[in-house]
Amino acid sequence: MNKKLTLPYASHRIFGESNLDTPTWNEIKSFGRLVELAKNSTFEPETSTAFYCIEKGSLRADFMTLGGRQRSLLIFEAGAIINLAHAVLGEKSFTRFTVRKDSILWHVDNKTIMTIPESCPHLKNLCLRILASSNMTYEVALAYLDVDDFKIRFCRYLALCIRRYGDLCFSTGLTQEECAMTLGVHRATLARAVQALKKDGIIACFTQECVQILDADRLLQQADL
């Protein structure tokens, strides 16, 4: 199993089955319809009964808070599935997706897993894994990241990343703008928190390519954990 799927509680990036030669992808292509999306475009699911398997690319789920601020809690990578919960429940999604890279998706009707699951057992298994991973991510966000003090929230985010990657040096693959949206703040607020942790000697750098934690114990203290 993909290592990233074993730690969904510490990941806001959802991965899935990205090997196109597997039985899972044979089932997806047998029942699905191709959809191509250009980088930087926005995508809204066509119906409440379809989910989309990502063959290639990356999409970011964008939400609007009651205060009108955009948050981006989840990023779906190649092999993941979007709109799955809404398709299963038959509920319209109000989530808009931003296409981070040129992407290829497969539109699959919910009846594939709801009424004829015996014809696609591998896809059904992938759907359960994606739903579980997404659900655990939401639970972590509610349990650990729903604090008003942003410095505490940011330190908890970094602690979760350490738990996910198993290292004090890692790459989130996110721009600072995307990270700020994930945490529900403006980029300037994130930048101030990064500088404060650098000044305190807790982190050495925080970029898309490299995040380096210098003092994990002090980070946990700042995270109030």
Side-chain angles (χ1 to χ4, degrees):
M1 182 182 290
N2 188 323
K3 181 179 179 182
K4 291 164 182 169
L5 278 176
T6 65
L7 298 172
Y9 49 79
S11 173
H12 60 280
R13 298 168 74 95
I14 306 300
F15 296 84
E17 178 56 74
S18 56
N19 183 346
L20 301 183
D21 295 325
T22 60
T24 302
W25 274 98
N26 289 334
E27 292 171 2
I28 292 170
K29 292 185 176 181
S30 293
F31 289 96
R33 170 170 60 82
L34 189 68
V35 178
E36 295 183 280
L37 303 173
K39 179 179 178 181
N40 296 326
S41 63
T42 58
F43 174 69
E44 297 184 30
E46 298 173 12
T47 72
S48 60
T49 60
F51 59 90
Y52 300 81
C53 305
I54 306 175
E55 175 183 327
K56 170 187 172 184
S58 175
L59 286 85
R60 185 182 73 223
D62 295 330
F63 305 86
M64 296 300 293
T65 67
L66 292 176
R69 179 174 295 179
Q70 180 174 310
R71 292 201 64 177
S72 301
L73 186 60
L74 293 176
I75 288 179
F76 295 87
E77 302 288 0
I81 300 174
I82 64 172
N83 206 52
L84 182 54
H86 297 91
V88 170
L89 295 173
E91 298 287 342
K92 178 175 173 55
S93 171
F94 294 97
T95 302
R96 296 182 65 186
F97 295 88
T98 296
V99 183
R100 302 175 73 239
K101 306 173 185 175
D102 288 344
S103 299
I104 296 175
L105 278 58
W106 288 82
H107 171 291
V108 182
D109 194 88
N110 68 353
K111 67 181 181 181
T112 303
I113 57 170
M114 298 295 288
T115 61
I116 49 173
E118 67 280 357
S119 63
C120 52
H122 298 90
L123 175 57
K124 182 179 179 181
N125 179 266
L126 176 60
C127 288
L128 288 173
R129 285 162 49 199
I130 296 298
L131 280 173
S133 186
S134 300
N135 185 65
M136 289 297 290
T137 302
Y138 282 122
E139 284 189 17
V140 168
L142 290 172
Y144 290 98
L145 301 181
D146 189 22
V147 291
D148 292 332
D149 188 311
F150 179 66
K151 188 174 183 181
I152 293 177
R153 195 188 324 160
F154 183 47
C155 288
R156 289 186 178 188
Y157 168 78
L158 292 176
L160 289 172
C161 286
I162 293 173
R163 188 179 185 185
R164 171 190 171 188
Y165 294 106
D167 201 340
L168 298 181
C169 186
F170 50 86
S171 170
T172 64
L174 298 178
T175 65
Q176 288 203 9
E177 181 71 25
E178 288 176 327
C179 183
M181 286 192 292
T182 296
L183 296 170
V185 297
H186 294 295
R187 182 176 178 180
T189 302
L190 173 64
R192 286 194 294 270
V194 169
Q195 289 305 313
L197 292 183
K198 284 183 177 180
K199 184 177 180 180
D200 292 340
I202 295 176
I203 65 174
C205 64
F206 185 84
T207 66
Q208 181 173 355
E209 293 77 23
C210 179
V211 178
Q212 184 176 2
I213 310 298
L214 297 176
D215 193 329
D217 291 335
R218 290 184 63 201
L219 177 69
L220 292 177
Q221 291 176 358
Q222 294 285 331
D224 196 25
L225 294 175

